[in-house]
Amino acid sequence: MRVLLVGAGGVGTAITRIAARRDFLTHMTVADYDLSRAEKAVAALAEHGEHGGHGDRFSARRLDASDEEAVRRALVEDRCDVLLNATDPRFVMPLFQAALAAGTHYLDMAMSLSSPHTTHPYERCGVKLGDGQFELAGEWERSDRLALVGMGVEPGLSDVFARYAADELFDEIEEIGIRDGADLTVEGYDFAPSFSIWTTIEECLNPPVVYEKERGWFTTAPFSEPEVFDFPEGIGPVECVNVEHEEVLLIPRWVDARRVTFKYGLGDDFIAKLKVLHELGLDSTTEVTVPGRSGPVQVSPRDVVAACLPDPATLGDRMTGKTCAGTWVRGVKDGAVREVYLYHVVDNQWSMREYGSQAVVWQTAINPVVALELIADGVWTGTGVLGPEALPPRPFLDLLTAYGAPWGLREENPSE
């Protein structure tokens, strides 16, 4: 399989380190707007002997993710089978459309952006996450190509867990709730998000979406419905709140459940800082004019915030603790009430030692690589725009374990 990886940030770099150890990959072109980042990711593989014995399996090139035609040409020139999008959600649509135009498969970890309802933002959905992509589903089906969307850890592995629960653990599902929490700390920083602050602001300050079978999709106020969830492997209780996330838009399309939510363990301090950014207008993506040494310049306040904070990919050496992604499910099996939590935990010390990548980006990166291998081997097949829950879960979970990243299942109230 020949892959064009667009984005050589923390997640993209972790993808190269994971993929380099797998034989299914024939060649990966690592592309980034900043050529030096792409070259650095490739050079690091050679330094650590992770080319898998094939020094020509990775190459670097400069590519502007917003330039649809340039991306299409890159896919054709490098004879790629699939485009793997490791950029932030702003670039989903040009990359998605470039892959369609080039006749390749496509895979991403975050879906096309939403926009709130103009008059009732905390009651009704406006443009939902992924709407732009699903509008083109027919074209992808006619092209006989697969666009696998939301295939990171959340969304991604969490959706695989939901499908696995529906297939093997339950006869009826009352509620599916994605629950994400961590006990990570970063030495020397009072505020240093472990993932892209641009994406974090987008997720946390947009109106969260909730799904109910009788009502469909609707929205609530940010940080609504707080609950304390007890995370496994020593992380412990963390307060979680509603956050906008793709799983709520994906899971109901393929899994029958009466209610679907996504709740993130943010903490009071993190929420307070996000609220201040919002109140000051620093979460805005609309460019403003600011003075510069050579005259006025246009800049997005959110991009300024991101530039002022440390790059999450560089924090691994200062981070300690674990991160947990998982799917909580309540329903009925064989006539008895059942409640389970399917989860995946990564210890930052382990991921840094084994891959040189901090836990959050590594946990995100491993899942698209597993999916690519399943597609390359013909285990996962399909056409059109599909979420992870549209495909058989067991091969994915088995291969994830074979990668050295086992998952767990905790019975919350065993029927026996």
Side-chain angles (χ1 to χ4, degrees):
M1 172 179 277
R2 298 180 65 87
V3 178
L4 174 63
L5 169 66
V6 185
V11 173
T13 297
I15 284 171
T16 65
R17 294 171 181 176
I18 297 165
R21 302 185 185 187
R22 306 300 297 185
D23 293 335
F24 78 90
L25 184 70
T26 304
H27 185 267
M28 177 175 282
T29 301
V30 183
D32 198 279
Y33 186 80
D34 181 349
L35 177 59
S36 66
R37 287 211 309 178
E39 290 175 333
K40 183 179 179 181
V42 173
L45 298 176
E47 291 171 9
H48 292 89
E50 290 182 346
H51 270 310
H54 304 283
D56 60 349
R57 287 209 303 161
F58 293 84
S59 62
R61 72 181 292 165
R62 185 189 180 281
L63 193 60
D64 181 349
S66 68
D67 188 337
E68 184 179 326
E69 175 56 24
V71 176
R72 186 199 66 79
R73 287 198 306 269
L75 287 164
V76 173
E77 290 168 4
D78 288 357
R79 299 177 287 111
C80 294
D81 302 298
V82 59
L83 187 159
L84 174 53
N85 176 2
T87 65
D88 75 52
R90 288 174 289 181
F91 303 107
V92 163
M93 289 310 295
L95 295 175
F96 181 76
Q97 291 172 151
L100 178 62
T104 70
H105 300 300
Y106 169 88
L107 194 152
D108 65 30
M109 290 161 275
M111 297 176 67
S112 59
L113 291 170
S114 65
S115 59
H117 193 279
T118 54
T119 59
H120 297 79
Y122 303 138
E123 299 171 25
R124 304 176 191 170
C125 295
V127 176
K128 301 188 297 300
L129 291 169
D131 276 357
Q133 292 172 283
F134 280 113
E135 286 175 3
L136 297 177
E139 293 187 36
W140 278 91
E141 290 171 6
R142 288 188 288 275
S143 74
D144 197 33
R145 292 293 180 268
L146 170 64
L148 180 56
V149 296
M151 190 60 254
V153 61
E154 290 173 341
L157 178 56
S158 51
D159 303 71
V160 173
F161 283 150
R163 178 60 184 269
Y164 174 75
D167 286 357
E168 301 197 26
L169 304 181
F170 291 87
D171 299 321
E172 298 177 24
I173 293 178
E174 176 67 28
E175 183 170 356
I176 295 174
I178 313 307
R179 299 292 184 265
D180 180 300
D183 62 1
L184 295 168
T185 59
V186 183
E187 180 186 358
Y189 291 96
D190 293 327
F191 185 62
S194 58
F195 201 69
S196 162
I197 188 61
W198 200 101
T199 304
T200 301
I201 289 172
E202 184 74 16
E203 293 174 349
C204 295
L205 294 178
N206 277 351
V209 181
V210 174
Y211 172 83
E212 292 180 357
K213 196 169 186 178
E214 295 76 14
R215 187 175 174 183
W217 287 294
F218 61 94
T219 58
T220 70
F223 315 121
S224 58
E225 299 183 1
E227 69 173 62
V228 175
F229 191 85
D230 187 18
F231 288 92
E233 298 194 20
I235 295 174
V238 179
E239 184 175 76
C240 299
V241 293
N242 278 328
V243 168
E244 181 191 48
H245 232 253
E246 286 90 342
E247 291 95 325
V248 180
L249 287 311
L250 286 171
I251 289 171
R253 296 175 185 268
W254 289 281
V255 177
D256 186 13
R258 293 187 180 90
R259 194 169 197 264
V260 182
T261 59
F262 180 98
K263 293 188 180 183
Y264 196 10
L266 295 172
D268 291 341
D269 182 64
F270 198 98
I271 290 172
K273 287 182 168 64
L274 289 174
K275 287 180 175 179
V276 169
L277 290 175
H278 178 64
E279 289 164 2
L280 296 176
L282 294 175
D283 61 326
S284 174
T285 58
T286 301
E287 292 184 346
V288 297
T289 302
V290 297
R293 290 183 178 179
S294 302
V297 295
Q298 298 290 311
V299 61
S300 155
R302 193 185 300 185
D303 287 340
V304 173
V305 172
C308 291
L309 290 171
D311 179 355
T314 67
L315 297 175
D317 290 334
R318 292 173 172 263
M319 285 173 57
T320 57
K322 299 176 181 178
T323 184
C324 178
T327 303
W328 166 80
V329 187
R330 183 179 65 220
V332 175
K333 178 67 173 178
D334 297 329
V337 173
R338 189 180 195 188
E339 189 175 326
V340 303
Y341 182 58
L342 301 108
Y343 63 90
H344 186 254
V345 172
V346 179
D347 186 305
N348 186 73
Q349 186 177 9
W350 176 87
S351 65
M352 286 298 297
R353 182 179 68 249
E354 294 294 321
Y355 286 89
S357 296
Q358 56 104 318
V360 177
V361 299
W362 186 89
Q363 189 182 47
T364 303
I366 189 171
N367 295 285
V369 181
V370 172
L372 285 175
E373 183 161 345
L374 292 174
I375 294 169
D377 292 344
V379 178
W380 269 13
T381 61
T383 60
V385 180
L386 301 181
E389 54 278 279
L391 299 164
R394 174 57 76 174
F396 186 96
L397 296 175
D398 288 346
L399 188 54
L400 181 67
T401 300
Y403 270 56
W407 55 283
L409 187 157
R410 183 179 71 189
E411 293 278 356
E412 303 292 276
N413 60 340
S415 57
E416 64 271 18

